[in-house]
């Protein structure tokens, strides 16, 4: 066999080794249904140290999403977040802000957490508020899909994507 033949054979063997035989063509996990433009990354592991106060476990692990700037974490108690759920857990989210390094740049800024959510690929937008600032909340949206969230509280901001599935 010539050098081109050996090169071709080696390429075929290498490619065959990179293919998982019998693996499903489409993943079936909820995370696999995340729309392409969605940056929602639900971490099932340990919460950040600054976000684990009040949990009874020494190293609490909960489904959570960290804001793009790392200023806030959404701890998801009703994972997966669901639209039209008639029973089971609600869409409870505990919002935990990273402790501020310095006092709020605007002491008169509202402490209310204002969530402006836009459905990916549409002009559908909703606003939700958590009175008193980040903390426990129920955040429902009108349709399933990837929601881009702009979060504002106490003169601070962050963004994240959350995926809601149909019931």
């Amino acid at each position: 066999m010539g050098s081109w033949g050996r090169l071709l054979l080696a390429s075929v063997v290498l490619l065959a080794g990179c293919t998982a035989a019998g693996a499903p063509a489409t993943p079936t996990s909820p995370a696999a249904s995340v729309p392409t433009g969605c940056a929602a990354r639900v971490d099932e592991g340990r919460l950040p140290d600054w976000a684990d106060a009040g949990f009874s476990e020494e190293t609490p692990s909960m489904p959570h999403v960290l804001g793009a700037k790392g200023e806030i974490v959404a701890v998801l108690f009703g994972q997966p977040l669901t639209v039209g759920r008639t029973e089971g857990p609600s869409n409870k989210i505990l919002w935990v802000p990273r402790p501020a390094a310095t006092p709020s740049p605007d002491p008169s800024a509202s402490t209310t957490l204002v969530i402006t959510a836009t459905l990916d690929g549409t002009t559908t937008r909703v606003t939700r508020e958590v009175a008193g600032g980040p903390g426990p909340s129920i955040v429902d949206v009108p349709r399933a899909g990837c929601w881009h969230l702009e979060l504002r509280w106490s003169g601070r901001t962050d963004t994240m994507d959350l995926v809601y599935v149909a019931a």
Side-chain angles (χ1 to χ4, degrees):
M1 181 182 302
S3 61
W4 281 108
R6 284 191 298 271
L7 179 62
L8 180 59
L9 179 60
S11 297
V12 170
V13 170
L14 180 62
L15 286 174
C18 293
T19 306
T26 310
T28 57
S29 70
S33 63
V34 174
T36 307
C38 191
R41 301 289 179 258
V42 176
D43 185 338
E44 300 281 337
R46 189 176 190 291
L47 292 171
D49 289 339
W50 53 265
D52 66 3
F55 287 90
S56 58
E57 300 86 16
E58 187 174 321
T59 55
S61 295
M62 294 281 300
H64 62 280
V65 177
L66 185 63
K69 295 192 307 188
E71 292 296 313
I72 195 165
V73 67
V75 182
L76 309 176
F77 286 87
Q79 180 65 2
L81 299 172
T82 305
V83 174
R85 183 186 321 236
T86 57
E87 55 186 58
S90 61
N91 292 322
K92 181 178 179 182
I93 300 174
L94 174 61
W95 301 97
V96 183
R98 179 185 292 272
T102 59
S104 174
D106 180 3
S108 66
S110 173
T111 58
T112 298
L113 172 62
V114 178
I115 305 165
T116 304
T118 306
L119 181 60
D120 185 49
T122 74
T123 57
T124 302
R125 178 175 286 186
V126 296
T127 301
R128 304 291 186 251
E129 293 186 353
V130 180
S137 68
I138 304 295
V139 179
D140 293 321
V141 295
R143 291 177 42 199
C146 178
W147 288 84
H148 303 291
L149 278 60
E150 295 175 15
L151 308 159
R152 295 184 315 277
W153 74 101
S154 301
R156 298 169 67 188
T157 63
D158 208 338
T159 61
M160 71 173 57
D161 291 348
L162 293 178
V163 172
Y164 284 75
V165 299

